């Protein structure tokens, strides 16, 4: 399919980041909110895809906001080490275009771009694009990037924040492979993440489960941009995937604050650690066995309702209807955000010390 590059240029924006930080290849649209419980019913009972419906976002309570800052202070040094390690690994590439996967990849991609510029004196392009489970990667966004860089796409590197069950990593491989076959391009399906607990990323800074602070908030740490939307009622075939913007949250926005605070911390480091070439099989096996065990223990029929890892479990509390949250250690600093959100939403929290992850979210299983 041919696309009008000039028309797509008008969709490109940087959200609440600086213009040089990122180019969002998304189309801002106006779509009504769907109540979280109604959205869950429509998805589970009617079978509509999550990307067609947008839940309303709310600003965090004062208590949760205080916990966010506490957890940020606790984990910023570790995250700085991990992002510095990723930046150093990426700098070894001769040519490079950063393509972060919206939303979780975007703050990481912005910090990586700044690291490459400020610490390695290297200017690289950074785009943020949509990829959606079962629906695929935004091919119009890929076409746009190819029109401005290496036409074969060999310099593209995909960035995400973390893995939970590896769904996005598998989608990248599936849909980018298909795109390469159809268009005779050579885009790598490698995925770079900060934390790869599931064993599906190509390169990661760690395989340990911990709180990446940008996972704790919604749009107010992601450039005032919603999760991505793919609804044909609002988008044409030659559009980018959609999103909603939240200018009304600007007074509470921490997107640039987070990037700048992380850069201050990164610049205190002497030298980067090494990244990990992930030993995938043991981690994948552990991940699958654990999910099967949870399905049996809690009588869950759909594995998609189980979200292992801190990042995914927080998402359950922020935008789904949780059944319960499992935590490895109630007294861990990383777990404090769960306790606050769970209390606010009246969600039970169970301690399971034998888990391989710090937290696991379980979505309520609805029946007809």
């Amino acid at each position: 399919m041919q696309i009008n590059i000039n028309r797509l240029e008008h969709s490109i924006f940087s959200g609440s980041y600086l213009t040089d930080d990122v180019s969002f290849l998304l189309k801002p649209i106006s779509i009504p909110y769907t109540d979280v419980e109604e959205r869950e019913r429509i998805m589970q009972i009617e079978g509509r895809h999550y990307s067609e419906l947008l839940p309303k976002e709310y600003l965090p309570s004062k208590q949760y906001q205080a916990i966010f800052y506490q957890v940020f202070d606790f984990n910023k040094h570790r995250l700085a080490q991990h992002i510095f390690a990723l930046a150093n690994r990426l700098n070894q590439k001769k040519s490079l275009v950063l393509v972060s996967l919206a939303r979780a990849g975007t703050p990481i991609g912005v910090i990586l771009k700044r690291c490459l510029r400020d610490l390695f004196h290297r200017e690289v392009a950074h785009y943020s694009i949509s990829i959606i489970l079962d629906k695929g990667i935004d091919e119009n966004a890929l076409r746009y990037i190819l029109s401005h860089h290496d036409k074969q796409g060999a310099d593209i590197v995909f960035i995400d924040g973390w893995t939970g069950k590896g769904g996005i990593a598998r989608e990248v491989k599936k849909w980018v492979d298909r795109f390469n076959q159809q268009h005779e391009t050579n885009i790598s399906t490698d995925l770079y993440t900060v934390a790869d607990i599931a064993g599906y990323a190509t390169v990661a800074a760690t395989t340990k489960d911990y709180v990446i602070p940008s996972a704790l908030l919604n749009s107010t740490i992601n450039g005032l941009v919603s999760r991505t939307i793919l609804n044909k009622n609002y988008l044409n075939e030659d559009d980018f995937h959609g999103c909603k913007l939240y200018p009304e949250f600007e007074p509470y926005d921490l997107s640039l604050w987070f990037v700048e605070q992380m850069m201050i911390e990164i610049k205190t480091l002497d030298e980067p650690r090494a990244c990990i070439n992930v030993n995938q099989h043991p981690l994948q096996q552990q991940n699958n066995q654990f999910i099967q065990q949870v399905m049996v223990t809690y009588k869950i029929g759909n594995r998609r309702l189980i979200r292992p890892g801190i990042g995914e479990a927080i998402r359950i509390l922020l935008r789904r209807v949780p059944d319960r949250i499992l935590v490895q250690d109630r007294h861990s600093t990383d777990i404090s955000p769960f306790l606050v959100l769970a209390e606010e939403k009246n969600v039970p929290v169970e301690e399971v010390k034998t888990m391989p992850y710090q937290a696991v979210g379980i979505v309520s299983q609805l029946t007809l």
Side-chain angles (χ1 to χ4, degrees), residues 80 83-88 91 108-122 262-263 266-267:
I83 293 180
F84 193 16
L86 281 177
N88 182 58
N91 189 49
I108 305 303
V110 171
I111 300 169
L112 285 170
K113 177 181 168 61
R114 290 206 189 183
C115 280
L116 289 163
R117 182 193 68 194
D118 295 354
L119 303 178
F120 298 98
H121 312 292
R122 184 171 178 182
M262 287 308 307
M263 287 306 302
I266 289 167
K267 288 176 181 179

Side-chain angles (χ1 to χ4, degrees), residues 73-246:
D73 286 339
F74 183 73
N75 279 332
K76 66 181 179 181
H77 185 72
R78 177 163 39 170
L79 181 59
Q81 291 177 317
H82 290 156
I83 293 180
F84 193 16
L86 281 177
N88 182 58
R89 179 66 172 262
L90 289 167
N91 189 49
Q92 296 168 21
K93 289 184 170 288
K94 187 175 181 181
S95 58
L96 179 62
V97 174
L98 300 179
V99 178
S100 59
L101 302 176
R103 280 190 308 184
T106 308
I108 305 303
V110 171
I111 300 169
L112 285 170
K113 177 181 168 61
R114 290 206 189 183
C115 280
L116 289 163
R117 182 193 68 194
D118 295 354
L119 303 178
F120 298 98
H121 312 292
R122 184 171 178 182
E123 289 289 349
V124 300
H126 173 218
Y127 301 96
S128 187
I129 73 172
S130 169
I131 186 167
I132 295 172
L133 291 172
D134 304 324
K135 300 292 184 179
I137 199 162
D138 187 341
E139 295 193 355
N140 289 338
L142 290 180
R143 292 186 186 99
Y144 179 88
I145 295 168
L146 294 175
S147 74
H148 285 74
H149 301 279
D150 172 48
K151 298 299 185 284
Q152 291 299 303
D155 49 3
I156 289 175
V157 173
F158 293 107
I159 307 294
D160 208 353
W162 60 84
T163 65
K165 296 198 297 280
I168 291 298
R170 292 191 295 273
E171 293 288 287
V172 168
K173 177 160 181 53
K174 173 183 174 181
W175 295 100
V176 173
D177 276 344
R178 192 177 89 158
F179 184 91
N180 284 336
Q181 291 167 8
Q182 291 177 344
H183 301 280
E184 297 183 348
T185 50
N186 189 32
I187 303 171
S188 172
T189 61
D190 288 353
L191 182 66
Y192 287 63
T193 67
V194 173
D196 180 23
I197 67 168
Y200 286 91
T202 312
V203 175
T206 183
T207 58
K208 303 298 183 185
D209 187 24
Y210 78 102
V211 171
I212 296 170
S214 53
L216 297 177
L217 301 176
N218 282 314
S219 63
T220 53
I221 208 163
N222 287 282
L224 297 180
V225 174
S226 76
R227 66 169 308 155
T228 58
I229 302 160
L230 191 57
N231 187 318
K232 292 180 180 179
N233 294 326
Y234 300 89
L235 299 165
N236 298 316
E237 284 191 2
D238 57 351
D239 286 327
F240 295 136
H241 289 187
C243 70
K244 189 175 181 71
L245 304 183
Y246 297 93

Side-chain angles (χ1 to χ4, degrees), residues 33-36 54-58 218 246 248-249 318:
Y33 298 117
T34 305
D35 175 78
V36 172
L54 188 66
K56 185 174 177 60
E57 288 195 9
Y58 296 92
N218 282 314
Y246 297 93
E248 66 272 26
F249 289 167
L318 289 174

Side-chain angles (χ1 to χ4, degrees), residues 60-68 70-71 314 317 330 334-347 349:
S61 67
K62 288 184 179 180
Q63 185 184 9
Y64 185 74
Q65 210 165 15
I67 289 291
F68 166 80
Q70 176 186 323
V71 173
I314 281 287
L317 283 166
R330 233 175 229 282
D334 280 332
I335 297 305
S336 51
F338 292 92
L339 302 181
V340 172
L341 275 181
E343 184 177 355
E344 290 177 352
K345 299 192 175 192
N346 198 28
V347 176
V349 176

